[in-house]
Amino acid sequence: MSDPRRRIPGTDAVLAEPRIATAVRTLGSPLVKAAVAEAQRRARAGEIAPEDVVDAAVGQLPDRACGLRPVINATGVLVHTNLGRAPLSVAARDAVMAASGCTDVEFDLAEGRRARRGRGALAALAEAVPDAGAVHVVNNNAATLLLCALVMAQGREIVISRGELVEIGDGFRIPELLASTGARLREVGTTNRTHVRDYAEAIGPETGFLLKVHASNFHISGFTAAAEVAELAALGPPVVVDIGSGLLGPHPLLPREPDATTALRAGAALVTASGDKLLGGPQAGLLLGEAGLVERLRRHPAARALRVDKLTLAALEATLRGPEPPVRAALAADATALHERAARLVERLRAEGVPAEVLRTEAAVGGGGAPGVTLPSAAVGLPAAYGPLLRTGAVPVIARVERGRCLLDLRTVGAEEEQAVLEAVRAARRSHTSGGRPDGDDHGSARPCT
């Protein structure tokens, strides 16, 4: 009897198969060859028949050459850093696609010569915050502070409250970031109370600027005090206000969240913010303020290293000029309407034998924005065992587990995503886990379902 391994097709023969050849054009040769090699290995090991090598290779190929996978955010956290923060609007996604080839990002079509880079996005940002004398965009909010320190306080002092020496994502700390530029931090006040006089007593010939940082990811209550922007502006040195989450103007649902317009009207020389949080756009650092200062920042050599690409500029302009982005829509969603959506989904799932229920929940802004603020919401409640099954499905759905229930919070699930969520739950029900079917009760302690 001949060895069946002799029937395993060679690499060239597999690569010539139409489905594989098409995949090479869309995914690239290295990725496809790796899938073919794995299928051939399985055939040599007797795991699959030689005739199934092509099908096995095709089945192993990803949808795209990028390793990032789209997921559905059902956590109830509007700006989820681990899930890429703000999802872009349809308009912003279209803009990114339009800018993915050659564009006029730095070229004047009418005059046939070089033009101001990203002028459309900068104009849209200036129109959105008319109180700013000028605007500039860098690659994230940490970069805005880095640039401010380099330009305004290298070798000098930055006066900052001890209560605002915050740590941002992945262990990075504002004090260390600023100190890396050669600036010296002059800490004033205490953790819970810092007065205007504390700043005034610290001001001297070495003062570069006064820095006010929004306390993101935490909230201090009780016996507290903090200086207002207008009070600091009256002291003389320029005031830089890091508002963090990117509100360009006041928002009725977030009355305590700082915004750029209010800070500028109060006398801030510069306001810095993120583009991928409450603004709802791409990752970017926004600089808004006095024209002379912004121009100094823009012309510093480090500004080149911190600049954004054409895709970010396109997405930012579309976010500012286009329809309401998903984050702002989720923020404004009506709790009653969310409950009605949850009830309809639960009715459909129960009809198919899924042990679902409607639960009232509380969502959060996330991304460091509006710490301590909760938003009334509604969720589809499932047994906790559904969590990992949904997370590892064909279209990952990221939920959370509270009090032994897996919650699909609809404040962060768009109506256009509901069908995909239903299909994911159906697939999870059909799956088995090591401990049995997911239909069983699980009332363990609350934990993240990620």
Side-chain angles (χ1 to χ4, degrees), residues 388-406:
L389 298 174
L390 291 169
R391 190 180 67 238
T392 56
V395 177
V397 178
I398 315 300
R400 72 179 192 268
V401 167
E402 288 183 359
R403 296 183 293 277
R405 302 296 286 171
C406 176

Side-chain angles (χ1 to χ4, degrees), residues 11 15 28-41 56-57 60-61:
T11 300
L15 291 174
S29 180
L31 196 154
V32 175
K33 283 185 177 180
V36 170
E38 173 61 16
Q40 291 170 325
R41 183 202 65 77
Q60 190 175 324
L61 292 172

Side-chain angles (χ1 to χ4, degrees), residues 128-150:
V129 191
D131 289 273
V135 301
H136 186 57
V137 181
V138 291
N139 55 22
N140 63 19
N141 196 32
T144 66
L145 293 179
L146 191 77
L147 200 54
C148 287
L150 285 169

Side-chain angles (χ1 to χ4, degrees), residues 143-234:
T144 66
L145 293 179
L146 191 77
L147 200 54
C148 287
L150 285 169
V151 172
M152 302 166 64
Q154 191 171 37
R156 304 181 69 193
E157 292 183 344
I158 300 171
V159 182
I160 183 172
S161 167
R162 289 186 173 89
E164 297 174 4
L165 297 172
V166 301
E167 179 174 298
I168 52 180
D170 200 24
F172 290 96
R173 296 176 172 179
I174 292 295
E176 295 169 357
L177 175 75
L178 297 172
S180 71
T181 67
R184 302 188 302 275
L185 266 62
R186 181 73 178 270
E187 302 173 16
V188 298
T190 63
T191 302
N192 60 318
R193 291 177 70 82
T194 303
H195 304 277
V196 178
R197 68 174 182 272
D198 296 316
Y199 291 90
E201 292 169 357
I203 292 173
E206 293 298 303
T207 301
F209 61 89
L210 312 183
L211 176 60
K212 189 169 181 60
V213 178
H214 177 45
S216 62
N217 291 317
F218 70 97
H219 175 68
I220 299 177
S221 61
F223 189 58
T224 64
E228 298 294 332
V229 174
E231 296 175 314
L232 297 180

Side-chain angles (χ1 to χ4, degrees), residues 203-441:
I203 292 173
E206 293 298 303
T207 301
F209 61 89
L210 312 183
L211 176 60
K212 189 169 181 60
V213 178
H214 177 45
S216 62
N217 291 317
F218 70 97
H219 175 68
I220 299 177
S221 61
F223 189 58
T224 64
E228 298 294 332
V229 174
E231 296 175 314
L232 297 180
L235 296 178
V239 178
V240 176
V241 180
D242 174 12
I243 64 171
S245 62
L247 275 185
L248 301 186
H251 196 290
L253 294 177
L254 306 172
R256 296 183 180 179
E257 187 73 4
D259 68 273
T261 297
T262 299
L264 289 169
R265 289 179 179 176
L270 289 171
V271 172
T272 71
S274 295
D276 57 348
K277 295 182 180 178
L278 288 174
L279 181 61
Q283 177 181 297
L286 313 180
L287 274 160
L288 313 103
E290 296 177 3
L293 272 178
V294 172
E295 182 62 15
R296 286 175 59 196
L297 296 168
R298 190 180 77 83
R299 299 306 306 171
H300 190 277
R304 173 75 181 207
L306 303 175
R307 80 176 189 178
V308 295
D309 71 339
K310 60 184 179 179
L311 304 182
T312 299
L313 291 168
L316 179 60
E317 181 177 0
T319 299
L320 291 163
R321 297 193 187 281
E324 185 178 56
V327 164
R328 295 212 291 270
L331 182 63
D334 178 70
T336 300
L338 293 175
H339 192 273
E340 293 172 352
R341 285 177 57 198
R344 289 194 295 269
L345 289 174
V346 165
E347 183 179 6
R348 294 179 64 180
L349 290 171
R350 281 188 171 277
E352 299 175 21
V354 178
E357 61 181 329
V358 180
L359 296 175
R360 296 189 183 278
T361 60
E362 290 185 339
V365 172
V373 174
T374 58
L375 305 167
S377 189
V380 174
L382 301 166
Y386 273 76
L389 298 174
L390 291 169
R391 190 180 67 238
T392 56
V395 177
V397 178
I398 315 300
R400 72 179 192 268
V401 167
E402 288 183 359
R403 296 183 293 277
R405 302 296 286 171
C406 176
L407 306 184
L408 303 176
D409 195 311
L410 295 188
R411 188 172 279 275
T412 53
V413 177
E416 72 283 359
E417 296 175 311
E418 286 186 4
Q419 187 59 39
V421 169
L422 283 172
E423 292 172 1
V425 174
R426 290 168 182 149
R429 185 177 184 274
R430 293 191 297 267
S431 299
H432 287 76
T433 63
S434 59
R437 297 189 64 84
D439 294 359
D441 290 335

Side-chain angles (χ1 to χ4, degrees), residues 1-11 13-14 40-46 48-53:
M1 181 179 294
S2 62
D3 189 337
R5 289 176 295 184
R6 294 180 179 276
R7 303 200 312 274
I8 297 174
T11 300
V14 177
Q40 291 170 325
R41 183 202 65 77
R42 293 180 62 195
R44 287 192 293 271
I48 60 174
E51 295 77 18
D52 294 334
V53 165

